[in-house]
Structures are given as structure tokens and as C-alpha cells.
């Protein structure tokens, strides 16, 4: 594993050893560290080939989100298990030899907690959280357990090469709303300055307590929830070293397209 760049004390970039090489050494995971596999612009440009087995990914954390090889649904990492929410909404535990092209995860520890206000929308929830979480230039992993009178979720369908950009694929995403669900919001709040590398702002995935309902969250209302969060002051990015990854023009500004992909509801 080569250390490519070390920027100040908070961003460390590594290359991801190819999946078929010898088992990598135990990763160095500091407390309060956000660990990321690949960069969001690679996913935006259609780099959907998995670059790290889930078995290895789970050594970097027990809480987080992402997607799976061939963009095969939404990935939810909760309490140390990885769940796949397919494009048809079906949920299963991900086999450890499956791979991910993009994931963000951490070892969850509770730095703070407070009751979740009952809200009528995700925008309202995020506004409350923005007031409560003051460390705007650090990362937060946010876990909200509670009741969801209404929750609107989406997932994407497995793609086959040649891969189209995510903004095109997202047009055929599945969106569904469920009512009276008990479950957990799995959130990553990234600083605004991560543009191109990760998803700026809030990114939420969801899993119901019975593991029957999940996906990328587009909207929700909440009741009787409790918020727990971890503040992350170190950011580790594992970069693929594949030819395909190195052909990508990752410096493009794709923030407008990303915003549409993350929040698009109309189908
Ligand atoms: Zn997502």
C-alpha cells in the first residue's frame, strides 16, 4: 500500500490494493476517523466496478453507507453488518466476497446524543441538526433511531457495462414511500469543502428494525427519535489503482449533477 498524499493532519489518501492480491495489512483506523472507498466523482462518471471486498471494507467501520459492484442497489452498514437494498427494494445481508465501488464508513462511537425533534420533512430535520452540530468543518456520523410515520426511499438497479454516468442511471431509480416504520437513519454529514471527493452535506440511508425496508432517503417525517453522533476529525480515502480509475477526469465540477442524483424524487 502506497501513501500518496498527506494533506495537513486530516486527509490521508491511500491506494486500494486490487482485490485479487494478498490480504492487505490491518488498516490503521484512528478513533473518530471517516473512512472512504474511492471518490464520489468516480461514481458520478460511471466507475461502478467494485474495488474492495465487503469483508475488507468492514474492517474500516461498522456504520456507514455506499453502493455495491455494478451499482447494484444501496449499501447500508449498521451495527457491523452490510445490507444491500436492491432496485426492487429487496434487502439482504451482503456476502463478504461482494465488492463496493464507493462507501463511507466509521467506527461509531457516541460523542453526543439528544432527542430527535418530531419533524415534518427531511429538510426540517437537517435544519435542526445544522443548529445542533456546530463543528461544520468536521465530518459527523449521525444515527437516528425512532419512528417514521412516513419515509420516502430510493434505490438503483444493477448496471451492465458500458456504464452510463450516475446522473443518467438515476433517472430510472425506484422510489417508494412507506408509512409507520420503526428503524434507523444512517447518516454521514460531510463539510461543504469535500466537493468532488465525497458528498457535501447530509447523506442518509435507512434500514427498518425488521430489515424489510431500506434505501437512500429522499424524505421522511419523524416521531420519538433519538439522535446519536460521532465527530470525525480524520478522513482517510482509499483510492483504486485500476486503469479505469486512472482514465477518469475527476477534476470536473459535477456538483450540480450530484445534487440532482442525491435529492431527485420525480420519476
Ligand atoms: Zn445514498
Amino acid at each position: 500500500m502506497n501513501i500518496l498524499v498527506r494533506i495537513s493532519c486530516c486527509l490521508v489518501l491511500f491506494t486500494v490494493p486490487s482485490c485479487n492480491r494478498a490480504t492487505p495489512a490491518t488498516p490503521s483506523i484512528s478513533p473518530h476517523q471517516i473512512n472512504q472507498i474511492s471518490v464520489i466523482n468516480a461514481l458520478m462518471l460511471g466507475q461502478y466496478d467494485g474495488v474492495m471486498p465487503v469483508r475488507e471494507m468492514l474492517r474500516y467501520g461498522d456504520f456507514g453507507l455506499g453502493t455495491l459492484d455494478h451499482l447494484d442497489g444501496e449499501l447500508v452498514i449498521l451495527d457491523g453488518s452490510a445490507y444491500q437494498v436492491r432496485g426492487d427494494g429487496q434487502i439482504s445481508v451482503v456476502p463478504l466476497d461482494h465488492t463496493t465501488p464507493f462507501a463511507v464508513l466509521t467506527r461509531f462511537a457516541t460523542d453526543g446524543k439528544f432527542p430527535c425533534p418530531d419533524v415534518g420533512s427531511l429538510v426540517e430535520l437537517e435544519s435542526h441538526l445544522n443548529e445542533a452540530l456546530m463543528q461544520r468543518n468536521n465530518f459527523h456520523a449521525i444515527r437516528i433511531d425512532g419512528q417514521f410515520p412516513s419515509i420516502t426511499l430510493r434505490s438503483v438497479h444493477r448496471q451492465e457495462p458500458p456504464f452510463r454516468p450516475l446522473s443518467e442511471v438515476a433517472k430510472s431509480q425506484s422510489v417508494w414511500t412507506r408509512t409507520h416504520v420503526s428503524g434507523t437513519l444512517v447518516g454521514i454529514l460531510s463539510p461543504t469543502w469535500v466537493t468532488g471527493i465525497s458528498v457535501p452535506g447530509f447523506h442518509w440511508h435507512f434500514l427498518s428494525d425488521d430489515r424489510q425496508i431500506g434505501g437512500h432517503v429522499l424524505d421522511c417525517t419523524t416521531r420519538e427519535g433519538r439522535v446519536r453522533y460521532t465527530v470525525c476529525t480524520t478522513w482517510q480515502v482509499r483510492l483504486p489503482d485500476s486503469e479505469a480509475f486512472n482514465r477518469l477526469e475527476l477534476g470536473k465540477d459535477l456538483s450540480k449533477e450530484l445534487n440532482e442524483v442525491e435529492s431527485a424524487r420525480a420519476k
Side-chain angles (χ1 to χ4, degrees), residues 69-73 84 86-87 156-161 163 169:
D69 182 48
H70 285 215
L71 200 71
D72 196 3
Q84 175 185 25
R86 293 193 178 80
V156 286
H157 298 278
R158 181 185 167 90
Q159 301 295 302
E160 297 302 333
F163 295 129
V169 172

Side-chain angles (χ1 to χ4, degrees), residues 65-66 74 154 203-205 216-217 262:
L65 43 75
E74 307 285 349
R154 76 103 194 270
H203 186 177
W204 301 102
H205 285 193
H216 172 104
V217 181
E262 290 301 314

